[in-house]
Amino acid sequence: MKHPSRDARRRPPVAFTLVELLVVIAIIGVLVALLLPAVQAAREAARRTQCSNNLRQFSLGCLTHEGANKRLPAGFTTMAAGGDTHHTWAAYVLPYLEQGAMFSNIDFKIASWQAWGNLGGGDKQYPQIPWLWTQLDMHLCPSDQPRNIHTGVPRSFAHGNYLANIGWPAAWPQIEASTADYEKRQEALVKNNASDPAQSGDLRGPFDKVFTPQNKGLPLKEITDGTSNTVMLGEVRQFPGNDGRGLLYLGSGLYNHYYTPNTASMDEMEFCNPNDKTGAINPSAPCSNTRGGFPRWTAQTSRSNHAGGVNVSFVDGRTTFITDGVDVSIWRRISTRAGGEVATEL
């Protein structure tokens, strides 16, 4: 029998030295550092795609509503002299998003907030009115906030990341004394902004206040700027706490194009968390509730957690991503339904 040599018996086992091990760990660390941003970017790209798909689903729901009723859903129903009904496009479009059961639970004869008030108000989510507080998956952009982030009264109402475009006026009053006062305000807006680079002959978007309890939204023929040139829906952000931005079933279910996307300019809402005028709580989106009382001035701009811009959909159904650096005059032009401007730059 042949025995191994003494040298072979004494040969140490093959192994990494400490220096080699540290080098391998360092290389792995570098590779992880290089790959992690790519992985995160891929995940955000997937979230942004899902967000765009949700927006498109809402847009197609609005267009299906138009096909069935010859009108887009009303942006926000209201009655003169304070008799607001407070139902919005987000409620009227539910049957066209396969949410007929939820739609059938709504009593359109009373204000949306009254259904909540009749049961005691507060910060409760009453099981008798699930439509008022239920957040559907399609309401939420996966790049933004999760469910159940709100407190106080906003907790009782559903929030979402997609709102209807009201055009480019600044803050607008939910309640006005009469239809005539509303028309006068529209005329004054055009006159006061005549020198604006947007040169809009009408500042209103495809969704607007409707002075009737009926769902009488806009016929497409009244979008004279063209359905491919007029934004229908846009992204907004939600903020935790007692904050009303993104509310779907109240007058705050509309946003405007006064400021460009993701501006640090101040929103005006009935509910802010708290009166965050300086942006101490939300630096990228300050908010004032100073004019939140009667007649409830409302203004919120388009924002997202995507890098560099927001998703919007046009009335012809297409969705696109618009960057934060878009010229403000172009941003305003694409928000109007009959402004008479040309917005071919996008």
Side-chain angles (χ1 to χ4, degrees):
M1 180 175 180
K2 188 175 181 180
H3 296 283
S5 67
R6 181 178 299 175
D7 289 341
R9 291 198 302 269
R10 291 180 178 177
R11 185 178 300 155
V14 177
F16 286 113
T17 66
L18 179 60
V19 172
E20 290 172 330
L21 184 61
L22 291 174
V23 169
V24 170
I25 292 173
I27 291 172
I28 293 173
V30 170
L31 290 174
V32 170
L34 291 173
L35 289 174
L36 190 57
V39 171
Q40 291 174 334
R43 287 176 176 173
E44 168 54 21
R47 288 192 292 264
R48 194 174 109 180
T49 298
Q50 181 59 52
C51 191
S52 178
N53 288 341
N54 290 348
L55 181 62
R56 179 168 176 78
Q57 194 171 357
F58 264 121
S59 302
L60 293 177
C62 290
L63 290 174
T64 305
H65 179 288
E66 191 279 332
N69 300 280
K70 309 307 177 187
R71 295 172 178 268
L72 292 172
F76 168 61
T77 54
T78 182
M79 296 297 288
D84 284 77
T85 56
H86 279 79
H87 288 289
T88 72
W89 68 278
Y92 296 125
V93 79
L94 285 172
Y96 308 98
L97 298 171
E98 299 183 351
Q99 297 297 327
M102 185 178 291
F103 180 79
S104 65
N105 188 245
I106 304 173
D107 184 356
F108 287 99
K109 297 183 180 67
I110 62 174
S112 57
W113 57 266
Q114 189 177 339
W116 157 80
N118 288 346
L119 292 170
D123 64 351
K124 295 181 175 62
Q125 296 177 339
Y126 295 99
Q128 300 95 319
I129 47 173
W131 69 274
L132 198 57
W133 48 267
T134 299
Q135 285 187 299
L136 302 171
D137 288 342
M138 72 179 73
H139 286 157
L140 304 175
C141 175
S143 296
D144 198 47
Q145 304 282 347
R147 289 176 169 82
N148 302 318
I149 62 169
H150 297 100
T151 60
V153 171
R155 178 176 177 269
S156 303
F157 296 86
H159 294 65
N161 289 115
Y162 315 102
L163 296 187
N165 163 34
I166 195 173
W168 69 268
W172 58 277
Q174 292 183 27
I175 300 170
E176 291 180 283
S178 67
T179 306
D181 284 354
Y182 168 78
E183 295 296 342
K184 288 178 182 177
R185 183 170 65 84
Q186 296 302 319
E187 293 172 4
L189 283 169
V190 173
K191 182 178 180 180
N192 295 340
N193 291 280
S195 61
D196 189 273
Q199 295 291 296
S200 298
D202 190 330
L203 277 58
R204 291 173 292 184
F207 293 90
D208 200 3
K209 293 199 300 182
V210 178
F211 283 86
T212 171
Q214 283 79 41
N215 173 24
K216 292 187 177 180
L218 199 72
L220 290 188
K221 66 181 181 181
E222 294 188 24
I223 304 178
T224 56
D225 283 352
T227 57
S228 62
N229 295 323
T230 305
V231 170
M232 179 160 60
L233 307 174
E235 274 192 273
V236 298
R237 286 195 60 195
Q238 301 178 71
F239 295 93
N242 189 27
D243 197 296
R245 284 172 286 189
L247 275 171
L248 292 169
Y249 301 122
L250 292 175
S252 47
L254 307 170
Y255 83 101
N256 67 47
H257 281 228
Y258 190 78
Y259 296 112
T260 51
N262 290 309
T263 180
S265 298
M266 188 172 65
D267 292 331
E268 292 192 59
M269 302 294 296
E270 183 176 0
F271 301 103
C272 288
N273 180 36
N275 195 18
D276 186 25
K277 291 182 181 180
T278 62
I281 297 174
N282 298 305
S284 63
C287 185
S288 172
N289 62 16
T290 302
R291 297 201 293 172
F294 192 91
R296 299 192 185 94
W297 292 86
T298 295
Q300 56 187 318
T301 195
S302 183
R303 293 189 176 91
S304 79
N305 259 338
H306 310 307
V310 296
N311 289 305
V312 301
S313 67
F314 286 77
V315 181
D316 63 358
R318 70 185 174 98
T319 61
T320 190
F321 189 76
I322 296 185
T323 65
D324 297 341
V326 62
D327 185 89
V328 66
S329 63
I330 298 174
W331 179 243
R332 291 175 177 176
R333 288 171 183 170
I334 61 173
S335 74
T336 63
R337 69 195 193 208
E341 343 86 333
V342 177
T344 58
E345 295 88 342
L346 289 175

